[in-house]
Amino acid sequence: HDCSSFLPLNTARKILNKNEEEVSSPDLNLRICQHCLDLLETREHLKEAHNSKPIISQFYERLCVYRKEADEQAAIYNEMAKSLNSGESNYNLNDAQVLRAKLLRLADSIDALSNKIAVLGIKDTENPPQGQALRLQKAIRTAATGFLRNTLLSMPVLPTEEQLKSLQERRIRYNARILEESERETRLLDVERTSKRSSLRKQDSTTAKSPPEKDVCSVGQGWVPEKKQQFYKSDDPLIEQMNIIRNYIQEARLANKQEEVTSLEANLRELKQEYWRCQQLQEKNRHEDSHIPNEPH
């Protein structure tokens, strides 16, 4: 071969993966033939192609970054939307609207980038993607559209300012009603406990025993308690009746009489409601009596 071609020494060192300090001098060249020069240049191109990432890999890495960010932000947005639609005040409506706009921009980026991957190289008439490469590009696009449909395009809608105000007022009323019912139940239990303690003191102060009473209670299809349960007597007949029914409920449970338990519990609830109604009526009467003016002497 005619050794009439020249290869810079720095290029030769680079091809050989030498890490010595480069010497930039136009005089340091290797004189080689054209055939050897072509082989060395081909080797260099192959090495550069091996070390560089394909464009589809770069696109896919960026797509994964978008999807990860969208997943994280969507979880935060869903929590905010659920809280706001429930009438809670944990989050600000404007912050949720800003986050929703950001998620929509991410959705546009994911859609555009996945579409680029799907059509990458299609217009290359000499070497178009085919076979496994083409199937991979289509699979990436399909996965991206599924992610958009299931995660971003199905986001819950935020309430308007007027709707949020109405939801918050409704929640305040609901919480107040729950609190009132809880306080009412607590007062009822306090009255029952006070009545029981009073009955115990009366029993301790007397040694007389009442004659046994005949049990005439019958519940359900002929079932009656097998033994007389002890209960705390009270001056209030409603409270005394509730105590009796509670004892019957315990005995019915021990006897596995579920139908009788259900019936007795329904009776107990009715007695509680009646007792509470009587208490409210007495309280109302006392309040009215306290406002009646005294007659002049």
Side-chain angles (χ1 to χ4, degrees):
H1 296 285
D2 183 13
C3 296
S4 59
S5 299
F6 294 91
L7 179 68
L9 183 60
N10 291 335
T11 303
R13 291 178 181 276
K14 185 178 179 182
I15 294 174
L16 296 174
N17 293 324
K18 296 294 184 179
N19 296 324
E20 289 86 348
E21 183 179 356
E22 294 185 0
V23 180
S24 57
S25 174
D27 299 331
L28 298 178
N29 294 317
L30 294 177
R31 185 171 182 175
I32 58 177
C33 65
Q34 185 62 40
H35 178 70
C36 293
L37 181 62
D38 293 340
L39 290 176
L40 291 173
E41 288 179 347
T42 301
R43 174 185 172 87
E44 178 65 14
H45 293 158
L46 290 174
K47 188 173 68 174
E48 290 178 354
H50 178 73
N51 293 332
S52 63
K53 291 183 179 179
I55 187 66
I56 188 173
S57 297
Q58 299 177 30
F59 282 170
Y60 184 72
E61 288 179 356
R62 196 189 314 168
L63 182 65
C64 290
V65 172
Y66 288 157
R67 287 189 54 170
K68 181 180 179 182
E69 183 179 1
D71 268 328
E72 295 173 352
Q73 299 299 326
I76 299 174
Y77 172 81
N78 289 335
E79 183 179 350
M80 296 174 71
K82 181 180 179 181
S83 176
L84 291 170
N85 284 310
S86 298
E88 297 178 352
S89 304
N90 299 333
Y91 298 100
N92 185 275
L93 180 59
N94 291 333
D95 294 340
Q97 291 172 342
V98 170
L99 184 56
R100 181 181 177 86
K102 181 179 180 180
L103 285 169
L104 292 177
R105 289 194 298 270
L106 278 172
D108 292 338
S109 299
I110 292 173
D111 181 62
L113 190 55
S114 63
N115 188 58
K116 279 185 179 180
I117 294 175
V119 300
L120 187 64
I122 296 296
K123 296 182 179 180
D124 188 355
T125 57
E126 296 182 358
N127 188 25
Q130 54 187 345
Q132 186 176 359
L134 184 60
R135 288 194 297 271
L136 176 62
Q137 292 176 213
K138 291 182 178 179
I140 293 174
R141 172 62 177 173
T142 302
T145 54
F147 173 80
L148 292 175
R149 182 173 58 254
N150 298 328
T151 304
L152 298 182
L153 300 183
S154 60
M155 293 186 298
V157 180
L158 294 172
T160 62
E161 291 282 355
E162 293 77 11
Q163 291 173 340
L164 179 60
K165 184 177 179 181
S166 176
L167 289 169
Q168 289 175 342
E169 292 175 352
R170 186 186 308 170
R171 186 174 183 85
I172 291 174
R173 291 194 298 269
Y174 173 78
N175 290 337
R177 185 170 66 253
I178 294 298
L179 180 61
E180 181 182 356
E181 292 177 356
S182 176
E183 292 177 349
R184 183 176 64 183
E185 185 69 20
T186 301
R187 288 195 297 269
L188 179 59
L189 292 175
D190 290 341
V191 171
E192 292 180 1
R193 283 194 292 266
T194 302
S195 177
K196 288 181 180 180
R197 287 195 294 268
S198 177
S199 299
L200 283 174
R201 286 194 295 269
K202 289 181 180 179
Q203 289 179 0
D204 293 339
S205 63
T206 179
T207 57
K209 295 184 178 180
S210 301
E213 299 178 2
K214 185 177 180 180
D215 190 359
V216 295
C217 178
S218 176
V219 183
Q221 299 178 353
W223 178 83
V224 295
E226 295 180 358
K227 57 182 179 179
K228 186 68 176 180
Q229 296 285 350
Q230 181 181 3
F231 57 87
Y232 300 116
K233 293 186 177 181
S234 172
D235 294 335
D236 192 320
L238 282 176
I239 293 179
E240 184 172 351
Q241 187 65 24
M242 285 189 287
N243 291 336
I244 293 173
I245 292 180
R246 287 192 181 94
N247 289 327
Y248 288 159
I249 290 174
Q250 293 177 1
E251 188 170 342
R253 283 201 176 99
L254 292 176
N256 293 324
K257 298 292 184 179
Q258 188 59 42
E259 183 178 352
E260 285 74 9
V261 170
T262 303
S263 176
L264 288 168
E265 287 179 342
N267 292 338
L268 182 60
R269 285 193 298 270
E270 292 177 0
L271 287 173
K272 284 184 177 181
Q273 293 175 358
E274 179 64 20
Y275 177 80
W276 179 247
R277 189 187 65 79
C278 292
Q279 291 292 319
Q280 287 183 322
L281 183 60
Q282 293 176 7
E283 182 67 24
K284 180 179 179 182
N285 292 336
R286 284 196 297 268
H287 181 72
E288 291 176 353
D289 293 342
S290 64
H291 287 77
I292 297 177
N294 296 328
E295 295 181 359
H297 295 288

